[in-house]
Amino acid sequence: MLEAMGTTVLMRIRTNTRKFSNLPMEENDDRFRRVGALLGQKDLQEAYVEVERIVNSSRRDPFTLVKCAALLLTVDRKERSDEVASMAIESAPDDEAEIVQLAIAMRGLGRHKDAISLLERVDDSFPGLGLERAKTMLASGDARSCLSILEGIEGIDADMVRCDVLSRLGSHEDAIGLARSIRDVRGLDYETGVLLLGAMLRAGSVREAKRLASSMVKDGKDADSLALKSYVMRINGRTPAAMNYANQSLLRDSRHIGALWNLALCLLEKGRKDEAKLLAGAINESSPASPRAMEILDLCNR
């Protein structure tokens, strides 16, 4: 399964990047496919050379540059990744919606100051701006500032961030109660499930979390529920079981980010860094500069 993923890594280009590119769309697509294939073959040097070709042909395309910055981390080129991310900032678009998207990508790369700076260019009336600022504060480790920004912001998306903050700050009962409410309103999927299970695990309710995850699988063996079971097994040190559930999830949805993330973390526990990096690339293909992909790469490089 891991080798097959190499051929799919980074095959798609975001639609809103195409107007910036110096190359025909198909040529960049072909190059990203080649990078994915090279990663699958664990040929990091050739993958790096191909990424540099994309960079050189896409210097006015901030979103393609962000993808390249993430890929450069995959091939162990942290310094060059930083340079390319800075190039993306310098090529930032004027459109406010695209600026916000670039800020989100910078947040995913761990460049929180850049993300905040980009969001400051956007008018306060822009829909969802406050929530993106709150998410950036949380990603930077400033949970209390995040909670302050969230005051007065309503909706499920804001409640999900609020729940995460409360859990991190030790307000476990409030976090669990809010997580249950979110699940009841939005329904059970991987994100709402991890939110609730994570809050329960932080509160020390390990047995309850395991029982809940088991019931989720019994209710429906879909990709989300199996990835949730993998999450709980991994947290509890049941690495082989976690890998088994993650693989079952990926059989149902080969691009499931939660399953890819859990499987990568399990591989890291076994010292299999090259395979974990490949999974980080698969996550990045589905969600460019995903924080989960960046987390895996950061752990690989320690």
Side-chain angles (χ1 to χ4, degrees):
M1 178 177 290
L2 291 172
E3 288 77 7
M5 285 179 184
T7 62
T8 64
V9 172
L10 297 166
M11 288 174 62
R12 292 177 298 175
I13 307 276
R14 292 174 63 103
T15 301
N16 66 345
T17 71
R18 291 169 182 163
K19 65 183 177 183
F20 297 100
S21 181
N22 298 333
L23 284 176
M25 177 183 66
E26 294 79 6
E27 188 168 344
N28 254 349
D29 281 349
D30 288 343
R31 286 181 172 175
F32 276 115
R33 288 190 187 95
R34 177 164 169 72
V35 172
L38 290 166
L39 288 175
Q41 298 163 16
K42 300 180 183 179
D43 191 342
L44 301 188
Q45 177 58 32
E46 280 302 311
Y48 164 67
V49 171
E50 198 65 35
V51 173
E52 284 290 357
R53 290 193 179 108
I54 299 172
V55 170
N56 289 332
S57 65
S58 307
R59 290 180 176 272
R60 294 189 299 107
D61 181 342
F63 296 101
T64 295
L65 291 173
V66 164
K67 271 194 168 187
C68 290
L71 273 173
L72 286 163
L73 292 175
T74 306
V75 297
D76 298 327
R77 303 280 179 157
K78 174 67 167 64
E79 185 174 339
R80 181 57 174 159
S81 174
D82 288 338
E83 292 174 356
V84 172
S86 295
M87 289 168 58
I89 293 290
E90 292 170 3
S91 301
D94 295 324
D95 180 80
E96 288 192 332
E98 291 177 347
I99 291 173
V100 171
Q101 288 302 309
L102 187 58
I104 293 170
M106 288 297 126
R107 182 173 73 222
L109 286 171
R111 296 174 65 103
H112 304 123
K113 290 183 178 179
D114 287 333
I116 292 169
S117 178
L118 284 166
L119 292 175
E120 287 175 348
R121 302 184 192 180
V122 179
D123 189 271
D124 288 342
S125 63
F126 186 86
L129 182 63
L131 183 58
E132 294 306 331
R133 284 175 173 161
K135 289 179 179 179
T136 302
M137 288 296 101
L138 181 59
S140 71
D142 191 348
R144 295 195 180 279
S145 291
C146 172
L147 197 59
S148 177
I149 293 171
L150 287 172
E151 291 181 6
I153 301 179
E154 299 179 351
I156 290 291
D157 290 340
D159 281 344
M160 291 183 73
V161 179
R162 189 176 288 109
C163 177
D164 193 8
V165 176
L166 290 171
S167 181
R168 291 172 189 241
L169 292 176
S171 299
H172 298 304
E173 290 187 11
D174 290 340
I176 292 172
L178 184 55
R180 290 187 187 279
S181 175
I182 292 168
R183 180 200 58 185
D184 292 343
V185 172
R186 178 170 139 166
L188 178 65
D189 57 22
Y190 182 77
E191 295 301 329
T192 59
V194 162
L195 195 67
L196 176 54
L197 291 169
M200 294 173 72
L201 290 168
R202 286 194 189 103
S205 302
V206 177
R207 291 183 180 178
E208 293 85 345
K210 289 172 68 176
R211 283 199 295 268
L212 178 59
S214 294
S215 70
M216 290 173 178
V217 174
K218 289 178 182 178
D219 291 341
K221 292 188 176 182
D222 57 10
D224 279 347
S225 63
L226 289 164
L228 288 170
K229 185 70 173 179
S230 173
Y231 171 77
V232 173
M233 292 297 102
R234 180 180 60 78
I235 292 294
N236 284 282
R238 301 272 304 280
T239 303
M243 293 179 71
N244 178 50
Y245 281 112
N247 277 314
Q248 287 187 52
S249 175
L250 291 171
L251 287 174
R252 289 158 175 79
D253 178 1
S254 63
R255 296 177 180 272
H256 195 287
I257 290 177
L260 291 167
W261 177 67
N262 280 295
L263 183 55
L265 292 175
C266 289
L267 289 169
L268 282 173
E269 290 180 16
K270 292 179 171 293
R272 294 160 64 178
K273 290 186 177 182
D274 287 345
E275 292 165 283
K277 285 181 180 179
L278 183 58
L279 294 177
I283 293 172
N284 189 57
E285 187 272 331
S286 293
S287 178
S290 164
R292 285 177 175 144
M294 296 305 107
E295 177 188 358
I296 294 165
L297 293 172
D298 182 58
L299 291 170
C300 286
N301 293 325
R302 288 183 183 178

